[in-house]
PDB file of all heavy atoms in Angstrom:
ATOM      1  N   ARG A   1     -10.627   2.665  -9.016  1.00  0.00           N
ATOM      2  CA  ARG A   1     -10.607   1.962  -7.703  1.00  0.00           C
ATOM      3  C   ARG A   1      -9.373   0.994  -7.824  1.00  0.00           C
ATOM      4  O   ARG A   1      -9.318   0.037  -8.570  1.00  0.00           O
ATOM      5  CB  ARG A   1     -11.855   1.093  -7.556  1.00  0.00           C
ATOM      6  CG  ARG A   1     -11.877   0.410  -6.222  1.00  0.00           C
ATOM      7  CD  ARG A   1     -13.318  -0.324  -5.993  1.00  0.00           C
ATOM      8  NE  ARG A   1     -13.416  -1.188  -4.768  1.00  0.00           N
ATOM      9  CZ  ARG A   1     -13.649  -0.749  -3.624  1.00  0.00           C
ATOM     10  NH1 ARG A   1     -13.887   0.442  -3.363  1.00  0.00           N
ATOM     11  NH2 ARG A   1     -13.706  -1.711  -2.592  1.00  0.00           N
ATOM     12  N   LEU A   2      -8.407   1.232  -7.016  1.00  0.00           N
ATOM     13  CA  LEU A   2      -7.269   0.407  -6.822  1.00  0.00           C
ATOM     14  C   LEU A   2      -7.372  -0.680  -5.764  1.00  0.00           C
ATOM     15  O   LEU A   2      -8.014  -0.457  -4.837  1.00  0.00           O
ATOM     16  CB  LEU A   2      -5.989   1.273  -6.528  1.00  0.00           C
ATOM     17  CG  LEU A   2      -5.735   2.510  -7.424  1.00  0.00           C
ATOM     18  CD1 LEU A   2      -4.406   3.178  -7.036  1.00  0.00           C
ATOM     19  CD2 LEU A   2      -5.691   2.233  -8.917  1.00  0.00           C
ATOM     20  N   SER A   3      -6.832  -1.789  -6.107  1.00  0.00           N
ATOM     21  CA  SER A   3      -6.785  -2.872  -5.130  1.00  0.00           C
ATOM     22  C   SER A   3      -5.364  -3.362  -4.824  1.00  0.00           C
ATOM     23  O   SER A   3      -4.484  -3.227  -5.709  1.00  0.00           O
ATOM     24  CB  SER A   3      -7.533  -4.126  -5.675  1.00  0.00           C
ATOM     25  OG  SER A   3      -8.920  -3.715  -5.913  1.00  0.00           O
ATOM     26  N   CYS A   4      -5.124  -3.889  -3.660  1.00  0.00           N
ATOM     27  CA  CYS A   4      -3.830  -4.467  -3.235  1.00  0.00           C
ATOM     28  C   CYS A   4      -4.134  -5.809  -2.572  1.00  0.00           C
ATOM     29  O   CYS A   4      -4.724  -5.798  -1.517  1.00  0.00           O
ATOM     30  CB  CYS A   4      -3.153  -3.487  -2.369  1.00  0.00           C
ATOM     31  SG  CYS A   4      -1.586  -4.238  -1.621  1.00  0.00           S
ATOM     32  N   ALA A   5      -3.630  -6.811  -3.166  1.00  0.00           N
ATOM     33  CA  ALA A   5      -3.695  -8.109  -2.536  1.00  0.00           C
ATOM     34  C   ALA A   5      -2.503  -8.366  -1.774  1.00  0.00           C
ATOM     35  O   ALA A   5      -1.325  -8.410  -2.342  1.00  0.00           O
ATOM     36  CB  ALA A   5      -3.913  -9.200  -3.622  1.00  0.00           C
ATOM     37  N   ALA A   6      -2.550  -8.640  -0.415  1.00  0.00           N
ATOM     38  CA  ALA A   6      -1.444  -8.890   0.386  1.00  0.00           C
ATOM     39  C   ALA A   6      -1.406 -10.364   0.808  1.00  0.00           C
ATOM     40  O   ALA A   6      -2.418 -11.103   0.968  1.00  0.00           O
ATOM     41  CB  ALA A   6      -1.606  -8.047   1.746  1.00  0.00           C
ATOM     42  N   SER A   7      -0.195 -10.889   0.878  1.00  0.00           N
ATOM     43  CA  SER A   7       0.066 -12.217   1.384  1.00  0.00           C
ATOM     44  C   SER A   7       1.333 -12.284   2.200  1.00  0.00           C
ATOM     45  O   SER A   7       2.217 -11.456   2.075  1.00  0.00           O
ATOM     46  CB  SER A   7       0.036 -13.200   0.149  1.00  0.00           C
ATOM     47  OG  SER A   7       1.171 -12.968  -0.677  1.00  0.00           O
ATOM     48  N   GLY A   8       1.501 -13.317   2.905  1.00  0.00           N
ATOM     49  CA  GLY A   8       2.718 -13.517   3.765  1.00  0.00           C
ATOM     50  C   GLY A   8       2.671 -12.786   5.022  1.00  0.00           C
ATOM     51  O   GLY A   8       3.610 -12.779   5.694  1.00  0.00           O
ATOM     52  N   ILE A   9       1.488 -12.089   5.410  1.00  0.00           N
ATOM     53  CA  ILE A   9       1.403 -11.469   6.636  1.00  0.00           C
ATOM     54  C   ILE A   9      -0.008 -11.730   7.232  1.00  0.00           C
ATOM     55  O   ILE A   9      -0.851 -12.112   6.496  1.00  0.00           O
ATOM     56  CB  ILE A   9       1.699  -9.883   6.531  1.00  0.00           C
ATOM     57  CG1 ILE A   9       0.708  -9.302   5.615  1.00  0.00           C
ATOM     58  CG2 ILE A   9       3.054  -9.576   6.123  1.00  0.00           C
ATOM     59  CD1 ILE A   9       0.594  -7.819   5.549  1.00  0.00           C
ATOM     60  N   ILE A  10      -0.115 -11.485   8.492  1.00  0.00           N
ATOM     61  CA  ILE A  10      -1.486 -11.544   9.054  1.00  0.00           C
ATOM     62  C   ILE A  10      -1.943 -10.036   8.860  1.00  0.00           C
ATOM     63  O   ILE A  10      -1.765  -9.183   9.609  1.00  0.00           O
ATOM     64  CB  ILE A  10      -1.326 -11.742  10.547  1.00  0.00           C
ATOM     65  CG1 ILE A  10      -0.637 -13.130  10.871  1.00  0.00           C
ATOM     66  CG2 ILE A  10      -2.752 -11.885  11.170  1.00  0.00           C
ATOM     67  CD1 ILE A  10      -0.373 -13.371  12.336  1.00  0.00           C
ATOM     68  N   PHE A  11      -2.703  -9.956   7.716  1.00  0.00           N
ATOM     69  CA  PHE A  11      -3.070  -8.676   7.213  1.00  0.00           C
ATOM     70  C   PHE A  11      -3.755  -7.806   8.115  1.00  0.00           C
ATOM     71  O   PHE A  11      -3.570  -6.616   8.256  1.00  0.00           O
ATOM     72  CB  PHE A  11      -3.966  -8.990   5.970  1.00  0.00           C
ATOM     73  CG  PHE A  11      -4.385  -7.650   5.281  1.00  0.00           C
ATOM     74  CD1 PHE A  11      -3.456  -6.838   4.585  1.00  0.00           C
ATOM     75  CD2 PHE A  11      -5.747  -7.312   5.326  1.00  0.00           C
ATOM     76  CE1 PHE A  11      -3.941  -5.695   3.939  1.00  0.00           C
ATOM     77  CE2 PHE A  11      -6.151  -6.147   4.725  1.00  0.00           C
ATOM     78  CZ  PHE A  11      -5.213  -5.287   3.945  1.00  0.00           C
ATOM     79  N   SER A  12      -4.700  -8.433   8.874  1.00  0.00           N
ATOM     80  CA  SER A  12      -5.612  -7.766   9.825  1.00  0.00           C
ATOM     81  C   SER A  12      -4.894  -7.099  10.962  1.00  0.00           C
ATOM     82  O   SER A  12      -5.441  -6.220  11.620  1.00  0.00           O
ATOM     83  CB  SER A  12      -6.663  -8.718  10.379  1.00  0.00           C
ATOM     84  OG  SER A  12      -6.091  -9.773  11.103  1.00  0.00           O
ATOM     85  N   SER A  13      -3.617  -7.555  11.287  1.00  0.00           N
ATOM     86  CA  SER A  13      -2.811  -7.042  12.285  1.00  0.00           C
ATOM     87  C   SER A  13      -1.896  -5.896  11.882  1.00  0.00           C
ATOM     88  O   SER A  13      -1.238  -5.411  12.748  1.00  0.00           O
ATOM     89  CB  SER A  13      -1.909  -8.092  12.900  1.00  0.00           C
ATOM     90  OG  SER A  13      -2.646  -9.140  13.347  1.00  0.00           O
ATOM     91  N   TYR A  14      -2.036  -5.377  10.734  1.00  0.00           N
ATOM     92  CA  TYR A  14      -1.021  -4.359  10.133  1.00  0.00           C
ATOM     93  C   TYR A  14      -1.872  -3.138   9.735  1.00  0.00           C
ATOM     94  O   TYR A  14      -2.882  -3.096   9.007  1.00  0.00           O
ATOM     95  CB  TYR A  14      -0.276  -4.838   8.839  1.00  0.00           C
ATOM     96  CG  TYR A  14       0.769  -5.845   9.167  1.00  0.00           C
ATOM     97  CD1 TYR A  14       0.550  -7.108   9.583  1.00  0.00           C
ATOM     98  CD2 TYR A  14       2.091  -5.382   9.048  1.00  0.00           C
ATOM     99  CE1 TYR A  14       1.601  -8.011   9.831  1.00  0.00           C
ATOM    100  CE2 TYR A  14       3.105  -6.203   9.373  1.00  0.00           C
ATOM    101  CZ  TYR A  14       2.868  -7.570   9.838  1.00  0.00           C
ATOM    102  OH  TYR A  14       3.956  -8.394  10.071  1.00  0.00           O
ATOM    103  N   ASN A  15      -1.318  -2.012  10.172  1.00  0.00           N
ATOM    104  CA  ASN A  15      -1.719  -0.741   9.536  1.00  0.00           C
ATOM    105  C   ASN A  15      -1.271  -0.756   8.055  1.00  0.00           C
ATOM    106  O   ASN A  15      -0.227  -1.234   7.800  1.00  0.00           O
ATOM    107  CB  ASN A  15      -1.106   0.441  10.283  1.00  0.00           C
ATOM    108  CG  ASN A  15      -1.653   0.517  11.646  1.00  0.00           C
ATOM    109  OD1 ASN A  15      -2.716   0.061  12.041  1.00  0.00           O
ATOM    110  ND2 ASN A  15      -0.800   1.312  12.537  1.00  0.00           N
ATOM    111  N   MET A  16      -1.975  -0.180   7.176  1.00  0.00           N
ATOM    112  CA  MET A  16      -1.627  -0.123   5.795  1.00  0.00           C
ATOM    113  C   MET A  16      -1.798   1.291   5.238  1.00  0.00           C
ATOM    114  O   MET A  16      -2.438   2.105   5.656  1.00  0.00           O
ATOM    115  CB  MET A  16      -2.441  -1.096   5.047  1.00  0.00           C
ATOM    116  CG  MET A  16      -2.363  -2.541   5.476  1.00  0.00           C
ATOM    117  SD  MET A  16      -0.719  -3.264   4.938  1.00  0.00           S
ATOM    118  CE  MET A  16      -0.694  -2.978   3.227  1.00  0.00           C
ATOM    119  N   GLY A  17      -0.960   1.438   4.097  1.00  0.00           N
ATOM    120  CA  GLY A  17      -1.040   2.692   3.437  1.00  0.00           C
ATOM    121  C   GLY A  17      -0.874   2.527   1.929  1.00  0.00           C
ATOM    122  O   GLY A  17      -0.346   1.632   1.432  1.00  0.00           O
ATOM    123  N   TRP A  18      -1.399   3.589   1.188  1.00  0.00           N
ATOM    124  CA  TRP A  18      -1.103   3.778  -0.244  1.00  0.00           C
ATOM    125  C   TRP A  18      -0.059   4.902  -0.474  1.00  0.00           C
ATOM    126  O   TRP A  18      -0.140   5.981   0.361  1.00  0.00           O
ATOM    127  CB  TRP A  18      -2.434   4.144  -0.893  1.00  0.00           C
ATOM    128  CG  TRP A  18      -3.335   2.997  -1.103  1.00  0.00           C
ATOM    129  CD1 TRP A  18      -4.391   2.629  -0.455  1.00  0.00           C
ATOM    130  CD2 TRP A  18      -3.198   1.957  -2.233  1.00  0.00           C
ATOM    131  NE1 TRP A  18      -4.962   1.510  -0.967  1.00  0.00           N
ATOM    132  CE2 TRP A  18      -4.331   1.120  -2.065  1.00  0.00           C
ATOM    133  CE3 TRP A  18      -2.418   1.777  -3.297  1.00  0.00           C
ATOM    134  CZ2 TRP A  18      -4.473   0.034  -2.930  1.00  0.00           C
ATOM    135  CZ3 TRP A  18      -2.551   0.749  -4.196  1.00  0.00           C
ATOM    136  CH2 TRP A  18      -3.661  -0.080  -3.985  1.00  0.00           C
ATOM    137  N   TYR A  19       0.807   4.548  -1.299  1.00  0.00           N
ATOM    138  CA  TYR A  19       1.881   5.607  -1.582  1.00  0.00           C
ATOM    139  C   TYR A  19       1.817   5.770  -3.126  1.00  0.00           C
ATOM    140  O   TYR A  19       1.377   4.901  -3.876  1.00  0.00           O
ATOM    141  CB  TYR A  19       3.259   5.054  -1.195  1.00  0.00           C
ATOM    142  CG  TYR A  19       3.347   4.753   0.298  1.00  0.00           C
ATOM    143  CD1 TYR A  19       2.730   3.582   0.833  1.00  0.00           C
ATOM    144  CD2 TYR A  19       3.985   5.627   1.158  1.00  0.00           C
ATOM    145  CE1 TYR A  19       2.778   3.274   2.262  1.00  0.00           C
ATOM    146  CE2 TYR A  19       4.053   5.440   2.577  1.00  0.00           C
ATOM    147  CZ  TYR A  19       3.486   4.245   3.084  1.00  0.00           C
ATOM    148  OH  TYR A  19       3.554   3.944   4.376  1.00  0.00           O
ATOM    149  N   ARG A  20       2.413   6.864  -3.553  1.00  0.00           N
ATOM    150  CA  ARG A  20       2.607   7.027  -5.022  1.00  0.00           C
ATOM    151  C   ARG A  20       3.922   7.662  -5.365  1.00  0.00           C
ATOM    152  O   ARG A  20       4.498   8.421  -4.543  1.00  0.00           O
ATOM    153  CB  ARG A  20       1.401   7.842  -5.589  1.00  0.00           C
ATOM    154  CG  ARG A  20       1.324   9.326  -5.098  1.00  0.00           C
ATOM    155  CD  ARG A  20       0.007   9.962  -5.639  1.00  0.00           C
ATOM    156  NE  ARG A  20       0.005  11.382  -5.306  1.00  0.00           N
ATOM    157  CZ  ARG A  20      -1.073  12.138  -5.351  1.00  0.00           C
ATOM    158  NH1 ARG A  20      -2.181  11.683  -5.877  1.00  0.00           N
ATOM    159  NH2 ARG A  20      -1.065  13.409  -5.111  1.00  0.00           N
ATOM    160  N   GLN A  21       4.343   7.466  -6.528  1.00  0.00           N
ATOM    161  CA  GLN A  21       5.678   7.999  -7.048  1.00  0.00           C
ATOM    162  C   GLN A  21       5.395   8.497  -8.573  1.00  0.00           C
ATOM    163  O   GLN A  21       5.152   7.648  -9.428  1.00  0.00           O
ATOM    164  CB  GLN A  21       6.724   7.099  -6.894  1.00  0.00           C
ATOM    165  CG  GLN A  21       8.070   7.801  -7.258  1.00  0.00           C
ATOM    166  CD  GLN A  21       9.245   6.845  -6.822  1.00  0.00           C
ATOM    167  OE1 GLN A  21       9.152   5.666  -6.758  1.00  0.00           O
ATOM    168  NE2 GLN A  21      10.404   7.406  -6.604  1.00  0.00           N
ATOM    169  N   ALA A  22       5.555   9.784  -8.644  1.00  0.00           N
ATOM    170  CA  ALA A  22       5.499  10.312 -10.083  1.00  0.00           C
ATOM    171  C   ALA A  22       6.871  10.303 -10.567  1.00  0.00           C
ATOM    172  O   ALA A  22       7.862  10.380  -9.893  1.00  0.00           O
ATOM    173  CB  ALA A  22       4.889  11.744 -10.004  1.00  0.00           C
ATOM    174  N   PRO A  23       7.093  10.464 -11.933  1.00  0.00           N
ATOM    175  CA  PRO A  23       8.395  10.412 -12.534  1.00  0.00           C
ATOM    176  C   PRO A  23       9.302  11.562 -12.061  1.00  0.00           C
ATOM    177  O   PRO A  23       8.770  12.778 -12.008  1.00  0.00           O
ATOM    178  CB  PRO A  23       8.073  10.586 -14.047  1.00  0.00           C
ATOM    179  CG  PRO A  23       6.827   9.963 -14.170  1.00  0.00           C
ATOM    180  CD  PRO A  23       6.063  10.328 -12.956  1.00  0.00           C
ATOM    181  N   GLY A  24      10.431  11.335 -11.589  1.00  0.00           N
ATOM    182  CA  GLY A  24      11.387  12.325 -11.089  1.00  0.00           C
ATOM    183  C   GLY A  24      11.108  12.749  -9.680  1.00  0.00           C
ATOM    184  O   GLY A  24      11.728  13.712  -9.222  1.00  0.00           O
ATOM    185  N   LYS A  25      10.132  12.195  -9.037  1.00  0.00           N
ATOM    186  CA  LYS A  25       9.840  12.643  -7.645  1.00  0.00           C
ATOM    187  C   LYS A  25       9.953  11.514  -6.571  1.00  0.00           C
ATOM    188  O   LYS A  25      10.075  10.307  -7.039  1.00  0.00           O
ATOM    189  CB  LYS A  25       8.345  13.205  -7.626  1.00  0.00           C
ATOM    190  CG  LYS A  25       8.031  14.434  -8.432  1.00  0.00           C
ATOM    191  CD  LYS A  25       6.664  14.855  -8.314  1.00  0.00           C
ATOM    192  CE  LYS A  25       6.320  16.155  -9.112  1.00  0.00           C
ATOM    193  NZ  LYS A  25       4.995  16.617  -8.870  1.00  0.00           N
ATOM    194  N   GLN A  26       9.940  11.928  -5.435  1.00  0.00           N
ATOM    195  CA  GLN A  26      10.066  10.978  -4.315  1.00  0.00           C
ATOM    196  C   GLN A  26       8.720  10.379  -4.145  1.00  0.00           C
ATOM    197  O   GLN A  26       7.697  10.827  -4.418  1.00  0.00           O
ATOM    198  CB  GLN A  26      10.563  11.551  -2.995  1.00  0.00           C
ATOM    199  CG  GLN A  26      11.933  12.152  -3.072  1.00  0.00           C
ATOM    200  CD  GLN A  26      12.961  11.127  -3.118  1.00  0.00           C
ATOM    201  OE1 GLN A  26      12.917  10.107  -2.293  1.00  0.00           O
ATOM    202  NE2 GLN A  26      13.928  11.264  -4.009  1.00  0.00           N
TER     203      GLN A  26
END
């Protein structure tokens, strides 16, 4: 279970996403 703590924005007003990057890949 991954978590992401956001600050500096009105979090509830933003669509959010999870991204990933493997070695050598975009």
Side-chain angles (χ1 to χ4, degrees):
R1 182 176 174 85
L2 308 184
S3 298
C4 169
S7 61
I9 60 171
I10 304 174
F11 180 73
S12 61
S13 297
Y14 284 76
N15 298 337
M16 294 296 299
W18 282 100
Y19 303 76
R20 68 186 181 189
Q21 186 168 26
K25 295 185 178 180
Q26 295 291 313

